[in-house]
Amino acid sequence: NEEFTYTDLSKKPVSVVSLAWKKFVEAGIKKTDRVILIGEGQIIRNFSKFLFENDYHNIIIANRTKSNAEALANATSGTGISLDELANYEGGFDALVTCTGAEGIILTEQLYQTISGSADNRQLIIDLAIPQDVTPTVAALDRVQYVDMVSIQKIASENISYREQAISECQPIIHSGIKECERAFN
């Protein structure tokens, strides 16, 4: 894998989850902070692995189906609840990541007011759903740092362009490897 070791090919992430994780880390979310994940599809499962592997354990996973939320929560040392139960959660949060297949808004103003708690802390909301899970009025709040799929896709496109340029650096390494194989097997 010299092409990864000696070139810039692997320097800029392009996956949605990796880019969302980068935003999460850049926001300074501490390991003891309260994190809510909404959904339990592949993107949320992958994000929860990043949380677990980096010792985040103050996690609530909310999903339409409570048993699915609980199954994912068991794998990440979190707590699984249904979306209906989330409507009664008043514990606040520091970061919220959502990615559902819902047709409409999941994080309405009313739900946000309920789950945000009484503190005036800055909150990170990462909305990876298409269409969006977060109502624009919540996304625009001063205390909310909002990251959506459009901004993630923009970074991914820039990083893909960067990687495409790095491919030209890989070609001599690959050609050298091919010649070495040809000499070894001829």
Side-chain angles (χ1 to χ4, degrees):
N1 285 3
E2 290 181 44
E3 52 280 349
F4 285 101
T5 305
Y6 298 112
T7 69
D8 290 338
L9 192 59
S10 65
K11 290 231 164 101
K12 302 228 180 208
V14 295
S15 81
V16 168
V17 176
S18 294
L19 292 168
W21 178 253
K22 187 173 182 191
K23 290 291 188 184
F24 185 90
V25 170
E26 287 171 355
I29 305 301
K30 297 185 262 340
K31 294 181 188 317
T32 55
D33 284 349
R34 300 158 298 173
V35 179
I36 297 175
L37 302 179
I38 300 177
E40 66 82 39
Q42 193 61 49
I43 288 176
I44 292 295
R45 280 183 286 200
N46 289 346
F47 197 89
S48 72
K49 287 178 188 175
F50 276 112
L51 289 170
F52 184 73
E53 290 169 359
N54 288 280
D55 296 322
Y56 288 84
H57 299 293
N58 195 358
I59 305 166
I60 292 180
I61 299 168
N63 189 53
R64 225 179 10 216
T65 309
K66 183 176 182 173
S67 60
N68 290 350
E70 289 173 333
L72 182 55
N74 288 337
T76 60
S77 301
T79 303
I81 63 175
S82 70
L83 279 176
D84 292 338
E85 290 173 307
L86 183 62
N88 298 317
Y89 172 79
E90 297 177 350
F93 69 90
D94 300 290
L96 182 145
V97 180
T98 183
C99 186
T100 73
E103 298 274 329
I105 298 294
I106 296 293
L107 189 59
T108 62
E109 288 180 59
Q110 181 180 351
L111 180 58
Y112 173 79
Q113 292 302 324
T114 301
I115 69 173
S116 64
S118 59
D120 289 329
N121 63 311
R122 187 110 170 104
Q123 296 168 317
L124 172 66
I125 297 178
I126 300 175
D127 185 354
L128 302 175
I130 298 174
Q132 292 175 224
D133 281 343
V134 179
T135 189
T137 53
V138 169
L141 292 172
D142 287 339
R143 72 186 255 187
V144 169
Q145 178 184 345
Y146 181 70
V147 177
D148 66 352
M149 193 57 131
V150 172
S151 64
I152 293 289
Q153 287 173 329
K154 182 177 183 275
I155 296 167
S157 293
E158 291 168 0
N159 290 356
I160 287 169
S161 294
Y162 181 86
R163 282 187 172 194
E164 286 171 347
Q165 291 172 359
I167 287 173
S168 63
E169 298 172 23
C170 297
Q171 290 172 337
I173 296 169
I174 293 168
H175 289 300
S176 173
I178 290 170
K179 287 180 182 179
E180 194 174 307
C181 283
E182 287 172 347
R183 281 192 300 271
F185 291 108
N186 286 336

